[in-house]
Amino acid sequence: MEKVLVNKIIPFSSVDGPGNRTAVFLQGCNIRCKYCHNPETRGMCVNCGVCVSNCPAGALSMKDGNVVWDERLCCQCDTCIHICPYDSTPRTHLWDAAQVYERVKKQIPYIRGISVSGGECMLHPQFLTELFSMARADGLGTLIDSNGTIAFDSYPDLMKVTDGVMLDIKAFDEQQCIHVTGHTNRTVLENAVYLGKNGKLEEVRFVIAPDLYDTKNSVTQAGRFLKPYYDMHPFLMKLIAFRPMGVRPEFKNLTVPSRRYLEELEEILRQMDYEKIILI
């Protein structure tokens, strides 16, 4: 079984897909969104040791050139992730799908399913296939939370055990997407079509950050692009206001859109006959 770095597991979540779910967050991402709310999940620890000398609880140490985290001593103050120069964290576990599922199945009587996020969890399709196969065997639903930069149609075995994908569209215009993320959105839009046609599009999300890209045009163009697939298999459209919590200091002063502005974007979608819309 493939082993992956697990950033955290939230036993009960009501915001990572429909119903009560266990949410698994993997470490490592292949893009760099300027507005990222959890940038400490993007990089991999390089064992530089900066966090060790700054840990107020003494939960970090160096052993054989590697940073070692003692979870029992950790006070969850987040000092290590704030000072890490590599967008990483020493607070991870190297687990395979069976080890992760051991922690998931404790919640089985109380959850509808599991959702796996990141970082970018599609960097580990083998792990997802193994984990979702275990979950399906116990009657749990399975969702992927993804930035959409990795082609889903390349992994048919994974798609067979995946109920749906929560897909981010960072910006509809390609150049604006590159400005926001450092990455093109061509595969993202191709994935949207593939998932939409196959009834695997659970929700499409837009982080509304007006200072970074033309949010109104992006939502409008995405709405037009996605509507044929919404008509085939309706999915949730989620408009999420940028907020400064967790973002790197250089982006903390970006404009936080008002509720009224989000409602204007919502109205654009409703004029296209979208009904399943959530504002956050």
Side-chain angles (χ1 to χ4, degrees), residues 25-65:
F25 293 82
L26 306 187
Q27 185 71 23
C29 191
N30 59 336
I31 63 175
R32 293 292 183 269
C33 300
K34 289 181 167 69
Y35 56 61
C36 183
H37 292 80
N38 54 347
E40 72 281 358
T41 68
R42 300 193 295 198
M44 296 297 186
C45 178
V46 300
N47 298 298
C48 67
V50 170
C51 57
V52 174
S53 58
N54 285 277
C55 178
L60 300 174
S61 60
M62 295 295 296
K63 183 177 181 180
D64 299 328

Side-chain angles (χ1 to χ4, degrees), residues 112-150:
R112 179 187 297 186
I114 63 173
S115 300
V116 185
S117 183
E120 176 47 51
C121 64
M122 277 299 293
L123 294 171
H124 305 283
Q126 178 185 336
F127 168 84
L128 290 176
T129 305
E130 293 166 350
L131 178 63
F132 284 2
S133 296
M134 296 175 195
R136 278 286 191 90
D138 284 334
L140 293 177
T142 54
L143 292 177
I144 293 173
D145 180 342
S146 176
N147 63 34
T149 57
I150 297 169

